[in-house]
Amino acid sequence: MATSSAASIVFYDIPSKLPIICWSPNLWKIRYALNFKGIPYTTVWVEYPDVEAQCKELGGAPTTTKPDGSGRPHYTLPMIYDQSTGAVVTDSMNIVTYLDATYPSLPRLMSPNTAGLQHAFDAAANALMTPIYPYILPGAYKILNPSSAEYFGRTRKAKWGKPLEELTPRGAADEIEWKKLKDGFGKIDQWIRVNGDGGKGKYLMGETISYADMWIGSFVQWDDVKTWHEGRWAGLLKDLEMYETV
Amino acid sequence: MATSSAASIVFYDIPSKLPIICWSPNLWKIRYALNFKGIPYTTVWVEYPDVEAQCKELGGAPTTTKPDGSGRPHYTLPMIYDQSTGAVVTDSMNIVTYLDATYPSLPRLMSPNTAGLQHAFDAAANALMTPIYPYILPGAYKILNPSSAEYFGRTRKAKWGKPLEELTPRGAADEIEWKKLKDGFGKIDQWIRVNGDGGKGKYLMGETISYADMWIGSFVQWDDVKTWHEGRWAGLLKDLEMYETV
């Protein structure tokens, strides 16, 4: 336990103008994870245009290639710097794997021998959440600080082929896309139901919250979504509330 | 144990002209699963044109809608009929969930509280295996019995927009698609490596074979694939050998 309590992690997150500052689902996952494990950490807020320099300065690895098709390395947050080991880790699945491996006596994000399946969940859930971005991105754009907003608007316009203001589906397209999103949550609802010997489990690992629940909880942002599947997602957010400290 | 040993399941599979008869990856999954649990079963071989009538006769549920876009129900194998409970189950994930729930004292395909994540694995692995079909289907076509071959050739041509003989990528396309397939297996290799506390695990659940290993093992059909990832897939097939009884 000496190691655990001495641990101090620096968590790199992207700020917003919201009172709570933290806004990105992909960064909420890691914040939930850090709070869940109970590792002391501090947040360094990094605006979008500064992410690459911040990662390079610490030696954080790129997580993908640039969306411009150039094949050049692309640097993204989340990133953590563990002051007690010197490790710098990028990519959310790498980060949670690192946290469990380095601090195994703290609560497990992924119980032993389920990390591989949690990675599979990450891949499958990413595919199911595809329809959510045209709903998330325009809202995010409005709450970012000016330098991030400029970067975000420009790069997302290049990626999606239209300004963020025009991205959210309207009318019939809205009905279709929102239904697709609901079906995606519905699939995860079904996965939860097959657990817990007769469907009594509330979470993706049955009775116990694991990283997969934090993953999906990070994407529950609308009152409508909270009511889906007999209020499962409102209930999940409530159960995650104690890990929401920013 | 009385219930278990009294269990007798009828397993509906599609035959081939091969000496071993069983050939379809999606049906191998369930054959592995039945052998792994050690439930006594008999196989009823059903040619493709007879699948729908066979499912309807027993009351097996359709698993999807017809690929012709008509929205009409589509019936597929695997299907099982459990003579000791009267249950008829279609869809591979439904079948393995049923087997574990009904025969919990027999070896678990999915350890308690990981069924949900195994479902996520099924979804993610299905996506990763997309490139394999243009390689599998033409070979399958050649080994089917005449009535299935006619049905298979006709329906797959409609779905893929070209005759099965022309489906397998050639030249540069072959290199690209085969690499995509290798990357798919590579992703699953990575998931296995994050398990077992320091990567010592050999399987998707670490030290223990689970349904996810049978799933991916069912798709290892070429000597080239067996050599990938330090021979992991050849090793997996060897470990699954004892569950190959047809």
Side-chain angles (χ1 to χ4, degrees):
Chain A
M1 294 305 284
T3 316
S4 313
S5 56
S8 180
I9 283 180
V10 185
F11 171 47
Y12 296 84
D13 196 349
I14 292 164
S16 75
K17 296 185 281 190
L18 297 178
I20 199 175
I21 311 178
C22 189
W23 63 276
S24 158
N26 287 315
L27 288 145
W28 260 115
K29 292 173 191 169
I30 300 305
R31 189 172 294 278
Y32 274 139
L34 288 165
N35 288 326
F36 176 83
K37 284 198 83 84
I39 302 176
Y41 70 95
T42 51
T43 305
V44 170
W45 299 103
V46 186
E47 299 291 346
Y48 270 111
D50 308 320
V51 167
E52 179 163 336
Q54 182 69 79
C55 291
K56 283 180 169 171
E57 184 189 324
L58 284 171
T63 53
T64 178
T65 52
K66 286 203 186 292
D68 63 10
S70 64
R72 285 178 302 144
H74 189 46
Y75 294 83
T76 60
L77 300 187
M79 170 169 71
I80 61 162
Y81 166 46
D82 186 342
Q83 296 179 299
S84 57
T85 65
V88 176
V89 191
T90 54
D91 176 272
S92 43
M93 290 312 296
N94 286 346
I95 291 172
V96 292
T97 305
Y98 169 84
L99 293 175
D100 268 354
T102 312
Y103 304 103
S105 62
L106 296 176
R108 288 274 192 159
L109 293 158
M110 310 184 287
S111 67
N113 295 325
T114 67
L117 292 180
Q118 293 260 353
H119 278 69
F121 174 85
D122 173 70
N126 261 326
L128 295 175
M129 286 301 114
T130 309
I132 212 170
Y133 290 97
Y135 294 97
I136 284 185
L137 300 182
Y141 182 47
K142 289 184 198 159
I143 55 157
L144 291 170
N145 291 316
S147 71
S148 280
E150 188 281 324
Y151 177 96
F152 194 75
R154 178 165 42 80
T155 53
R156 270 54 177 181
K157 184 181 170 185
K159 183 177 171 185
W160 292 82
K162 56 174 94 169
L164 284 177
E165 295 87 337
E166 298 168 20
L167 200 57
T168 305
R170 302 227 168 86
D174 176 36
E175 274 186 44
I176 292 166
E177 295 302 311
W178 198 244
K179 170 73 163 53
K180 274 189 203 161
L181 181 64
K182 186 173 182 178
D183 289 346
F185 274 94
K187 191 67 90 174
I188 295 171
D189 175 66
Q190 285 170 26
W191 297 344
I192 293 170
R193 283 173 192 276
V194 294
N195 266 324
D197 282 328
K200 287 189 294 287
K202 289 166 65 180
Y203 307 116
L204 276 151
M205 296 279 302
E207 311 284 328
T208 319
I209 285 192
S210 73
Y211 178 64
D213 301 294
M214 302 170 208
W215 198 111
I216 191 62
S218 299
F219 282 90
V220 178
Q221 303 202 345
W222 294 269
D223 286 340
D224 190 20
V225 176
K226 289 176 196 166
T227 66
W228 291 347
H229 312 111
E230 301 171 17
R232 178 185 296 292
W233 313 112
L236 175 60
L237 280 199
K238 202 163 173 51
D239 295 342
L240 288 172
E241 231 170 48
M242 70 179 95
Y243 311 118
E244 278 180 1
T245 316
V246 176
Chain B
M1 293 302 287
T3 316
S4 313
S5 56
S8 180
I9 282 179
V10 184
F11 171 47
Y12 296 84
D13 194 352
I14 291 164
S16 75
K17 296 184 283 193
L18 297 178
I20 199 175
I21 312 178
C22 188
W23 63 277
S24 158
N26 286 316
L27 287 146
W28 260 116
K29 292 172 190 169
I30 299 306
R31 190 173 292 279
Y32 274 137
L34 288 165
N35 288 325
F36 176 83
K37 282 197 85 83
I39 301 176
Y41 70 94
T42 52
T43 306
V44 169
W45 299 101
V46 186
E47 299 292 347
Y48 269 109
D50 308 321
V51 167
E52 180 164 334
Q54 181 70 79
C55 291
K56 283 179 169 173
E57 185 189 322
L58 284 171
T63 53
T64 177
T65 52
K66 288 206 186 289
D68 63 11
S70 64
R72 284 178 303 144
H74 189 46
Y75 294 82
T76 61
L77 301 187
M79 170 170 70
I80 61 163
Y81 166 46
D82 187 341
Q83 296 179 298
S84 56
T85 65
V88 175
V89 192
T90 54
D91 177 88
S92 42
M93 290 312 295
N94 285 347
I95 292 172
V96 293
T97 305
Y98 170 83
L99 293 175
D100 269 354
T102 311
Y103 304 103
S105 61
L106 296 176
R108 288 271 190 161
L109 294 158
M110 311 184 286
S111 67
N113 295 325
T114 67
L117 292 179
Q118 293 260 353
H119 278 68
F121 175 85
D122 174 70
N126 260 327
L128 294 174
M129 286 301 113
T130 309
I132 212 170
Y133 291 97
Y135 293 99
I136 284 185
L137 301 183
Y141 182 47
K142 288 184 198 159
I143 56 158
L144 291 171
N145 291 317
S147 71
S148 279
E150 188 282 325
Y151 178 96
F152 195 76
R154 180 166 42 81
T155 54
R156 269 57 177 178
K157 183 181 170 188
K159 183 177 171 184
W160 292 81
K162 56 173 97 168
L164 283 178
E165 296 87 338
E166 298 167 20
L167 200 58
T168 306
R170 304 229 166 86
D174 175 37
E175 273 185 44
I176 291 166
E177 293 303 311
W178 198 244
K179 169 73 163 52
K180 273 190 205 162
L181 181 65
K182 186 173 182 179
D183 289 347
F185 274 94
K187 191 66 89 173
I188 295 172
D189 176 64
Q190 284 168 28
W191 297 344
I192 292 170
R193 283 172 193 276
V194 295
N195 266 325
D197 283 328
K200 288 190 294 284
K202 291 165 65 180
Y203 307 117
L204 277 150
M205 295 280 303
E207 312 282 329
T208 318
I209 284 190
S210 73
Y211 178 64
D213 302 294
M214 301 169 208
W215 198 114
I216 190 62
S218 298
F219 282 90
V220 178
Q221 304 202 345
W222 295 269
D223 287 341
D224 190 20
V225 176
K226 290 177 194 167
T227 66
W228 290 346
H229 313 110
E230 303 173 13
R232 176 184 299 289
W233 313 112
L236 174 59
L237 280 199
K238 204 165 172 51
D239 294 342
L240 289 172
E241 232 170 47
M242 72 178 91
Y243 310 117
E244 279 180 0
T245 314
V246 176

